[in-house]
Amino acid sequence: MKIDAKFYSEKNKIYFLNGTELDTKSAKLINANCCKNDSEPKEDALYSINIAQELTGAEENANEEFLAEFRDWLKKLEEKNSFAIIIPSTEKTPATQEEKEIFTASFKHCARRIKDCENVIGFSVPQNIEPDFFISELKAKHGHYIFFSADEKLLASDEKIVKL
């Protein structure tokens, strides 16, 4: 399923297709464990959703129950004209190349599980993860995603990445 882009990025900023800038500073930061079927997103809101790898699980041992409920909550955003930015995190910083690849693979799997959620804008590029690898892995099947970062070096090197 291919999702049509609703945004574009330019000079480290994000815009609706009509050219109106989306202010990411207004995003409400929430934890993914709050995105349950019994909670309702607000109307016309922008969410930055912190989601820990420990919650999603590793690709070969994914927490499919959580991912299904997370997907259902994200689908509600479409009815509310609200949007989400996914912020991957982990309790333990991946140190080895293998840990970094497992981390990226778990969020690639998460992206596959939420692939039909039209109002997911994209993902934040995690610190200590090779940005080009992370972005290419997620963009391969999700070309409409926009990527975000607070890392000034990364922002300076790629003006398509949006400042978070």
Side-chain angles (χ1 to χ4, degrees):
M1 169 180 212
K2 184 173 175 359
I3 302 278
D4 292 329
K6 294 184 177 188
F7 298 91
Y8 67 94
S9 60
E10 184 174 274
K11 297 182 182 174
N12 303 123
K13 295 183 180 182
I14 185 169
Y15 301 90
F16 287 93
L17 295 182
N18 69 6
T20 305
E21 184 178 349
L22 177 67
D23 180 13
T24 57
K25 292 180 185 111
S26 67
K28 178 179 175 154
L29 180 62
I30 62 172
N31 286 318
N33 57 5
C34 297
C35 302
K36 306 246 182 220
N37 287 331
D38 63 350
S39 71
E40 284 293 319
K42 294 185 188 242
E43 193 84 31
D44 299 316
L46 174 61
Y47 292 96
S48 290
I49 304 173
N50 186 12
I51 181 168
Q53 179 189 12
E54 292 77 12
L55 194 54
T56 65
E59 184 178 26
E60 68 280 347
N61 192 22
N63 183 345
E64 296 297 347
E65 183 178 338
F66 163 76
L67 291 170
E69 190 168 25
F70 185 53
R71 179 208 166 270
D72 291 345
W73 191 87
L74 291 171
K75 289 298 286 179
K76 293 178 184 180
L77 297 178
E78 296 164 27
E79 301 164 11
K80 303 282 187 172
N81 193 40
S82 293
F83 300 93
I85 299 165
I86 309 298
I87 303 176
S89 66
T90 185
E91 292 173 9
K92 179 184 171 232
T93 302
T96 67
Q97 185 60 32
E98 180 182 11
E99 288 173 343
K100 292 174 183 181
E101 289 172 7
I102 290 169
F103 179 89
T104 299
S106 72
F107 284 99
K108 182 178 180 180
H109 181 72
C110 175
R112 276 196 305 268
R113 293 288 284 140
I114 62 173
K115 69 180 178 235
D116 66 335
C117 298
E118 295 179 13
N119 287 18
V120 173
I121 300 170
F123 280 69
S124 175
V125 179
Q127 296 286 336
N128 303 321
I129 299 293
E130 168 53 43
D132 291 337
F133 178 69
F134 184 83
I135 290 170
S136 70
E137 286 294 293
L138 271 67
K139 262 231 189 269
K141 298 266 180 155
H142 312 282
H144 65 287
Y145 279 167
I146 293 176
F147 291 88
F148 299 82
S149 181
D151 182 338
E152 293 297 330
K153 287 181 185 174
L154 183 56
L155 292 168
S157 70
D158 187 343
E159 67 175 31
K160 289 281 191 193
I161 295 176
V162 176
K163 184 175 177 103
L164 189 59

